[in-house]
Amino acid sequence: MSGYKLGVEVVSAHDLVAKDGQGSSNSFVELHFDNQRFRTTTKEKDLNPVWNESFYFNISDPNNLSNLPLEAYVYNYHKENNSRTCLGKVRLTGTSFVPHSDAVVLHYPLEKRSIFSRAKGELGLKVFVTNDPSIRTSNPLPAMESSLHTDLSSTYAQISNSVPNSFPKEKSDKRHTFRHLPNASHSQEKQNFPPVPPQQQMNYGAHEMKSEPQPPKVVQMFSGPSQPPDYSVKETSPFLGGGRIVGGRVIRGDRPTSTYDLVEQMRYLFVRVVKARDLPSKDVTGSLDPFVEVKVGNYKGITKHFEKKQNPEWNEVFAFSRDTQQSSVLEVVLKDKDLVSDGFVGIVRFDLHEVPTRVPPDSPLAPEWYRLEDKKGEKKKGELMLAVWYGTQADEAFPDAWHSDAFAPGDSTSIASAYIRSKVYHSPRLWYVRVSVIEAQDLLPADKNRFPEAYVKVQIGNQMLKTKLVQSQNLNPVWKEEFMFVASEPFEDHLIFSVEDRVGPNKDETIGKAVIPLNTVDRRADDRNIRTRWYNLEKSLSDAMDGDHSKKDKFHSRLHVCVCLDGGYHVLDESTQYSSDLRPTAKQLWKSSIGVLELGILNVDGLHPMKTREGKGTSDTYCVAKYGQKWVRTRTMVNSLNPKYNEQYTWEVYDPATVLTVGVFDNCQIGGSSGNRDLTVGKVRIRISTLETGRVYTHSYPLLVLHPSGVKKMGELHLAIRFTYTSMLNMMFQYSKPLLPKMHYKRPLSVIQQDMLRHQAVNIVAARLGRAEPPLRREVVEYMSDANAHLWSMRRSKANFLRLTSVFSGFLAVGKWFGEVCLWKNPVTTVLVHILFVMLVCFPELILPTVFLYMFLIGLWNYRYRPRYPPHMDTRLSCADTVTPDELDEEFETFPASKSSDLVRLRYDRLRSVAGRIQTVVGDIATQGERLQALLSWRDPRATTIYLIFCLVAAIVLYVTPFQVLALIAGFYAMRHPRFRHKTPALPINFFRRLPARTDSML
């Protein structure tokens, strides 16, 4: 048998034909060479699958290699009938095979298998010849779906009979010459290459096999095992409104700078239809039912119509993209609405070459009256007030305008305009409501012969908590329990107290109710005492809502409570690791902003189809960005797999230890399908402290989503980000302040309280934003807020454990190095360590200065390797690339679990709850270690600068100060009296808690 093998690496495919009826395909690749067949795994519901699988074929006769073709067939697997459909094929002749050192990945266009079949897209392959003895031939047709194994027996027989055991006894002296394909464009001409002279022969010896070419340069977030290049962040150099971005710097162009300098400038034709007057009447029926149709080429927009109105007012704006204009004439047609056929009333035409250009901050263009004409161009009765101008997305009319790129050509009514417009939302102002139930007085149960077994239900909206059951020997039970709720301004729900009496098993009777409007409750910004109050208990809720009835009734049971709105806390409405705002609720405690964050949402490339329309896979996507209380939503781009948004937004930054979140969603509310959930395409998280000041970050971020079948890349989101501060001193001083408001340390909330209150806060925000127009749906708010991040996941637990081991790997490396020093594996190093040890023993005052100076030098050395890009989700760090189907099934299991046995469900949920807390603790431990690593890694450039300055100053101070004095000061400070201690954390702890960790890269 020959020692040469043909290696084939199946990398990926792009833009395959949709065959499953849902705009996607379940694709796999089958390779045929020299009577051998290999097959990749199946990638479900993916038109852009990525395999990265390698196969090795035996070459039976190297002398006949030029006559042995390699065929790669891309199939779609149908689970329903256990069949497959060919999506295309690639055929490579033996003359195109090259040695391993010259092999590169080429993308070949898929060809039709027959004249009646359909094929499109590309298949990425890397093909090479090798004689490495350590490489073994792949197993034919590796294990996959059982339904595809029907023809395995015959295939195995063919393979076993086709591979000879040894070389032929007589070898020809003629050796085959391999030619390298320079690039993908030459792949179509490989059959027409001229013959190579005989002296250009290739030696198949090991010394001819060069090292493998380096992979494309992509940015990595941390040192260690890198994830696949397709899942990594890539730096781009787009030409934006301010100029071309190269390495974070703006290279000014010849044209003037745009107002929106972080997005590409997009030109639009704006048409404002204001109103009409003196319209003609119908012959018999009288007044018209007028509406206006604005048409440019194949694109048209229609205003609403009025019934029986001679002077209608619309005041609607239409925006037509200049890049897609197919005509030089704008037609504004006034029509009469009719059930059968709309009647023509008049028309106004504009030559687009004569339309003026408006550049903000110029005032809006004043509308003018235009006389209506008939189809022949003659004047008619009636006038239209219009304004027509050219502008960009910086125009104030852009957000509320009807956009031509949101509709298919010739379609103007099938999609609701309200669901596609860009909008800015603001989260409601959230408050913590602290309720203390103290006691009740003179309760009157229904049965006068027994004392009540009373408890109190406290309710705000859908939030309800209960006190413990008190079996007192009088009519005045005492509880002294405290509860926390979440409420939002304006306060729509009341605080309701209901005193219940347990008269039997699962049977309660209401003794009385009390209602407190939240707008009458005292507010506080600190921990001062709030006055308690007595409230009369009414028999019914309606009586309690009416107010005080003390004048009407002679006797009332009373409830003693203390209620206040705690404004000194920050109401957590998102995951703690990814908080975008840390300010307290009370506005009087807010500090001034420290900078401005600017975000340009450019476009999405290679979007995965999310739905099928007219037999083709497509998507209707929009982006949502959240930072602080401000949410932004771009316009929806309909029927586009490469949407271009080019919208820019700005936020004020109050703390650098906050996170910006940008998500991409598929709009399922258009086309009459308002009952569907918007589908998640992916999201990007960027921590503000990891951004250098003034630099423009232009990167493409892979949109990674974890499905029950595994992690999947849905496309690449292109963003432009810039952070600028107002004062360097304020920015640096922010690192010494507590991360959360003081109330979180004076009267801290328990972990259980925080989880419960966070869940309620997310529900309130989702309900309030869902009432906007267009609504920001609940699934969008929950996905952006990581509402389900606390649930148990075996994958996250493994990832946190591996993070923990990675942190301690540095200490293990130091121990291993010291062991090598003790074993004299490197005599020079061991001698130097001995000399250093003798110096430190003889001069102990040099120990700490040497340590700090050493860390200072390490930080300076790492400056050249500092990250130059924001972090992103890492599939390798998140263990998303090695997760098993069983673990994915457990991660996507509903909570509570949908099991048949109640006992199994109870135990399973308890296990997941406990394990979820364990995984959180492990993650927190790993976070502390990663923050230590961040001191010198320049992940947060400002924090590293502060720490390096501290190290340098500490090294000098420790050098000139006797060690004994420092030891005494440190000991007395650690054992200082409680009177000299503060409840808020110390400055070093505040600085440490603001350091970034690898939680930003967790998927």
Side-chain angles (χ1 to χ4, degrees):
M1 181 180 293
S2 169
Y4 296 104
K5 299 177 181 63
L6 180 70
V8 181
E9 182 178 348
V10 183
V11 182
S12 61
H14 176 66
D15 197 22
L16 297 179
V17 179
K19 285 290 186 179
D20 63 350
Q22 300 178 359
S24 186
S25 293
N26 303 324
S27 53
F28 66 94
V29 179
E30 191 170 287
L31 304 174
H32 297 185
F33 176 78
D34 199 8
N35 295 325
Q36 304 168 65
R37 294 185 182 182
F38 299 146
R39 181 180 295 155
T40 66
T41 56
T42 302
K43 299 296 183 180
E44 297 183 358
K45 296 188 179 300
D46 197 347
L47 295 182
N48 300 283
V50 177
W51 289 282
N52 288 324
E53 300 181 18
S54 300
F55 305 91
Y56 295 90
F57 297 83
N58 277 328
I59 301 177
S60 58
D61 186 3
N63 299 319
N64 193 35
L65 185 59
S66 59
N67 299 322
L68 298 177
L70 169 67
E71 294 178 335
Y73 294 87
V74 183
Y75 290 99
N76 172 55
Y77 170 54
H78 301 277
K79 293 183 178 180
E80 296 78 11
N81 52 7
N82 294 332
S83 62
R84 61 185 184 180
T85 305
C86 184
L87 304 179
K89 70 173 184 177
V90 172
R91 180 184 173 88
L92 304 179
T93 60
T95 57
S96 64
F97 301 155
V98 297
H100 187 243
S101 59
D102 296 330
V104 294
V105 178
L106 296 177
H107 293 272
Y108 302 93
L110 294 175
E111 302 172 354
K112 296 182 179 180
R113 188 173 187 180
S114 62
I115 59 175
F116 301 104
S117 61
R118 179 188 174 195
K120 73 169 185 175
E122 298 176 339
L123 179 63
L125 299 174
K126 181 179 180 181
V127 185
F128 54 91
V129 175
T130 181
N131 65 345
D132 189 348
S134 62
I135 297 178
R136 297 184 178 180
T137 307
S138 303
N139 295 325
L141 293 180
M144 52 183 301
E145 292 82 8
S146 59
S147 59
L148 296 179
H149 289 176
T150 55
D151 58 343
L152 288 187
S153 57
S154 60
T155 306
Y156 289 157
Q158 294 177 5
I159 295 174
S160 59
N161 295 331
S162 63
V163 181
N165 294 328
S166 61
F167 279 114
K169 294 183 179 180
E170 296 181 359
K171 284 189 177 181
S172 173
D173 293 337
K174 182 179 178 181
R175 306 300 296 272
H176 176 69
T177 301
F178 293 89
R179 289 170 293 199
H180 173 56
L181 296 179
N183 50 49
S185 63
H186 296 168
S187 61
Q188 301 296 330
E189 305 174 2
K190 56 181 178 291
Q191 300 292 342
N192 301 326
F193 283 176
V196 181
Q199 65 269 20
Q200 296 180 356
Q201 297 179 353
M202 180 64 67
N203 189 338
Y204 291 99
H207 61 280
E208 291 290 342
M209 295 299 171
K210 301 178 182 178
S211 61
E212 189 174 1
Q214 295 294 328
K217 184 178 181 180
V218 294
V219 293
Q220 300 295 338
M221 286 164 289
F222 292 93
S223 59
S226 60
Q227 60 178 343
D230 200 40
Y231 291 167
S232 300
V233 181
K234 303 178 181 64
E235 188 171 10
T236 59
S237 297
F239 194 91
L240 305 180
R244 180 169 295 278
I245 309 300
V246 179
R249 296 182 295 109
V250 181
I251 307 300
R252 302 294 180 184
D254 297 333
R255 59 184 182 181
T257 302
S258 171
T259 305
Y260 283 14
D261 60 343
L262 290 186
V263 292
E264 297 180 13
Q265 191 178 76
M266 301 178 67
R267 306 282 294 178
Y268 285 91
L269 171 67
F270 290 96
V271 181
R272 181 184 296 276
V273 181
V274 184
K275 56 185 176 179
R277 68 182 181 185
D278 299 334
L279 298 181
S281 301
K282 290 185 178 180
D283 295 337
V284 180
T285 59
S287 300
L288 299 172
D289 298 334
F291 70 94
V292 176
E293 180 181 282
V294 184
K295 184 177 181 181
V296 179
N298 292 334
Y299 293 93
K300 64 179 179 180
I302 299 177
T303 67
K304 60 184 178 181
H305 77 277
F306 293 95
E307 294 184 359
K308 310 300 181 182
K309 197 167 186 179
Q310 297 296 112
N311 300 302
E313 294 186 8
W314 295 281
N315 198 24
E316 297 184 23
V317 182
F318 300 86
F320 297 88
S321 176
R322 195 168 184 177
D323 296 335
T324 59
Q325 286 184 8
Q326 302 172 347
S327 175
S328 60
V329 177
L330 165 67
E331 297 179 349
V332 183
V333 185
L334 181 66
K335 291 187 176 182
D336 178 26
K337 189 70 174 178
D338 197 3
L339 295 176
V340 180
S341 177
D342 297 332
F344 175 84
V345 179
I347 188 173
V348 178
R349 295 183 177 90
F350 293 88
D351 185 358
L352 297 183
H353 298 290
E354 303 298 329
V355 174
T357 299
R358 174 179 177 259
V359 179
D362 291 349
S363 299
L365 192 66
E368 301 179 21
W369 287 105
Y370 293 88
R371 188 75 175 269
L372 294 176
E373 301 176 353
D374 59 14
K375 295 182 180 179
K376 296 181 180 180
E378 298 180 358
K379 300 295 184 181
K380 293 187 61 177
K381 181 182 179 182
E383 291 179 300
L384 269 177
M385 178 177 281
L386 304 171
V388 183
W389 72 95
Y390 279 118
T392 65
Q393 67 266 45
D395 201 297
E396 60 267 14
F398 179 80
D400 295 326
W402 174 97
H403 293 277
S404 62
D405 51 11
F407 292 81
D411 181 15
S412 62
T413 59
S414 61
I415 301 175
S417 177
Y419 288 102
I420 63 175
R421 291 177 177 175
S422 58
K423 289 295 179 182
V424 176
Y425 308 83
H426 282 275
S427 297
R429 189 182 180 193
L430 300 178
W431 289 81
Y432 280 149
V433 183
R434 188 183 296 271
V435 179
S436 297
V437 181
I438 304 173
E439 60 180 335
Q441 188 179 59
D442 299 332
L443 296 183
L444 294 179
D447 186 1
K448 306 295 184 179
N449 298 322
R450 55 180 291 272
F451 292 108
E453 298 181 10
Y455 67 92
V456 180
K457 287 195 306 185
V458 188
Q459 184 175 359
I460 299 179
N462 60 352
Q463 308 172 62
M464 185 180 68
L465 296 175
K466 300 179 182 179
T467 66
K468 62 180 180 293
L469 191 68
V470 174
Q471 298 179 351
S472 60
Q473 299 301 317
N474 52 40
L475 300 178
N476 304 316
V478 178
W479 293 280
K480 291 185 179 180
E481 294 188 35
E482 189 174 83
F483 305 101
M484 295 288 287
F485 298 89
V486 181
S488 63
E489 288 184 324
F491 300 114
E492 299 177 350
D493 298 320
H494 295 307
L495 177 61
I496 302 175
F497 295 92
S498 178
V499 181
E500 305 287 332
D501 180 18
R502 179 67 52 84
V503 297
N506 299 325
K507 184 178 180 181
D508 300 329
E509 291 183 354
T510 302
I511 297 178
K513 293 180 179 292
V515 176
I516 303 177
L518 288 178
N519 53 12
T520 63
V521 174
D522 295 335
R523 307 184 184 192
R524 67 178 183 181
D526 50 18
D527 58 345
R528 63 183 176 88
N529 293 327
I530 298 296
R531 182 168 56 91
T532 62
R533 294 184 180 182
W534 288 91
Y535 291 91
N536 295 333
L537 296 177
E538 304 290 344
K539 292 297 182 182
S540 64
L541 184 61
S542 59
D543 291 340
M545 295 286 291
D546 290 340
D548 189 9
H549 288 260
S550 59
K551 297 181 181 179
K552 177 181 177 182
D553 299 329
K554 296 182 179 180
F555 178 81
H556 280 284
S557 299
R558 297 197 303 171
L559 183 65
H560 191 197
V561 297
C562 180
V563 183
C564 71
L565 293 173
D566 264 335
Y569 291 92
H570 167 68
V571 180
L572 298 171
D573 60 342
E574 51 196 342
S575 180
T576 308
Q577 288 91 356
Y578 314 125
S579 294
S580 60
D581 190 11
L582 301 173
R583 292 174 296 170
T585 302
K587 290 186 177 181
Q588 62 266 32
L589 299 180
W590 290 5
K591 305 297 182 181
S592 59
S593 62
I594 60 173
V596 174
L597 175 66
E598 299 170 273
L599 170 67
I601 304 176
L602 304 180
N603 61 292
V604 178
D605 285 338
L607 196 62
H608 182 81
M610 304 297 292
K611 63 184 68 170
T612 302
R613 182 177 292 136
E614 298 178 357
K616 297 181 180 180
T618 185
S619 294
D620 308 323
T621 56
Y622 63 92
C623 296
V624 175
K626 178 191 185 305
Y627 184 76
Q629 294 182 343
K630 181 180 176 181
W631 299 64
V632 299
R633 169 181 177 153
T634 67
R635 66 193 188 282
T636 300
M637 305 299 292
V638 181
N639 288 335
S640 178
L641 296 180
N642 295 283
K644 293 184 178 181
Y645 306 99
N646 288 311
E647 299 186 22
Q648 183 172 339
Y649 300 95
T650 304
W651 287 268
E652 286 187 329
V653 178
Y654 293 87
D655 198 306
T658 48
V659 176
L660 166 71
T661 305
V662 184
V664 183
F665 302 88
D666 182 75
N667 196 333
C668 296
Q669 314 308 314
I670 57 180
S673 58
S674 59
N676 297 334
R677 293 168 55 91
D678 287 354
L679 302 178
T680 58
V681 181
K683 64 183 173 185
V684 175
R685 290 190 292 255
I686 299 171
R687 187 171 292 271
I688 307 304
S689 62
T690 61
L691 302 177
E692 295 182 8
T693 304
R695 174 174 176 170
V696 179
Y697 290 85
T698 54
H699 293 82
S700 65
Y701 299 85
L703 297 172
L704 305 177
V705 177
L706 193 65
H707 290 285
S709 59
V711 66
K712 184 179 294 185
K713 178 182 176 181
M714 309 298 289
E716 291 188 354
L717 175 62
H718 292 253
L719 300 176
I721 306 168
R722 178 172 57 205
F723 169 62
T724 54
Y725 57 77
T726 55
S727 171
M728 170 67 77
L729 184 61
N730 291 340
M731 171 68 68
M732 295 300 185
F733 185 66
Q734 194 72 22
Y735 284 87
S736 65
K737 297 181 179 179
L739 187 64
L740 294 172
K742 291 182 179 180
M743 283 293 292
H744 287 270
Y745 306 104
K746 291 184 177 180
R747 301 189 65 174
L749 304 175
S750 66
V751 176
I752 298 178
Q753 274 185 315
Q754 289 182 6
D755 291 341
M756 181 192 68
L757 295 174
R758 182 185 295 111
H759 176 71
Q760 298 297 340
V762 172
N763 288 337
I764 292 175
V765 173
R768 187 66 62 88
L769 297 182
R771 293 160 54 183
E773 186 66 33
L776 204 59
R777 295 179 62 85
R778 172 175 293 272
E779 58 269 20
V780 175
V781 176
E782 291 180 350
Y783 182 70
M784 296 288 289
S785 303
D786 288 295
N788 299 322
H790 64 284
L791 295 180
W792 161 256
S793 167
M794 180 66 74
R795 176 188 59 84
R796 289 197 194 98
S797 297
K798 290 196 302 183
N800 287 332
F801 178 76
L802 293 177
R803 289 170 55 203
L804 189 62
T805 57
S806 176
V807 169
F808 289 102
S809 63
F811 298 100
L812 298 177
V814 173
K816 182 179 179 181
W817 171 82
F818 186 73
E820 293 177 353
V821 169
C822 297
L823 295 176
W824 288 76
K825 287 191 174 181
N826 190 338
V828 176
T829 303
T830 303
V831 171
L832 292 177
V833 170
H834 279 74
I835 296 175
L836 179 62
F837 177 72
V838 171
M839 290 177 58
L840 295 179
V841 170
C842 295
F843 304 98
E845 63 273 9
L846 296 179
I847 295 178
L848 291 179
T850 302
V851 171
F852 283 106
L853 186 60
Y854 182 63
M855 287 191 290
F856 174 76
L857 295 176
I858 292 178
L860 289 182
W861 177 262
N862 290 339
Y863 179 77
R864 57 184 299 188
Y865 305 109
R866 68 191 186 280
R868 306 287 292 177
Y869 40 84
H872 186 55
M873 283 79 166
D874 193 327
T875 56
R876 188 70 54 84
L877 177 67
S878 305
C879 294
D881 55 343
T882 59
V883 64
T884 63
D886 181 65
E887 294 172 354
L888 285 173
D889 180 69
E890 182 182 15
E891 183 167 351
F892 284 91
E893 172 67 32
T894 59
F895 189 84
S898 57
K899 301 298 180 181
S900 58
S901 175
D902 294 337
L903 181 61
V904 173
R905 182 186 300 113
L906 177 62
R907 293 178 178 177
Y908 187 48
D909 291 343
R910 182 175 58 187
L911 174 63
R912 293 172 69 185
S913 178
V914 173
R917 299 191 183 280
I918 294 175
Q919 92 177 7
T920 303
V921 172
V922 174
D924 291 341
I925 297 174
T927 298
Q928 308 311 317
E930 290 166 355
R931 285 172 176 168
L932 284 174
Q933 293 179 337
L935 285 172
L936 302 175
S937 66
W938 292 93
R939 178 72 278 175
D940 183 347
R942 286 166 289 274
T944 304
T945 301
I946 294 175
Y947 186 69
L948 293 184
I949 295 174
F950 167 76
C951 291
L952 182 61
V953 174
I956 298 174
V957 172
L958 293 173
Y959 178 77
V960 300
T961 306
F963 180 78
Q964 293 82 353
V965 175
L966 294 175
L968 287 174
I969 294 176
F972 280 99
Y973 178 79
M975 296 180 291
R976 67 190 184 278
H977 193 273
R979 180 181 299 176
F980 303 104
R981 299 179 184 270
H982 298 283
K983 293 184 178 181
T984 58
L987 187 148
I989 298 177
N990 297 332
F991 177 84
F992 183 78
R993 288 177 176 174
R994 292 183 177 276
L995 293 172
R998 300 180 74 180
T999 52
D1000 301 337
S1001 302
M1002 289 291 293
L1003 185 64

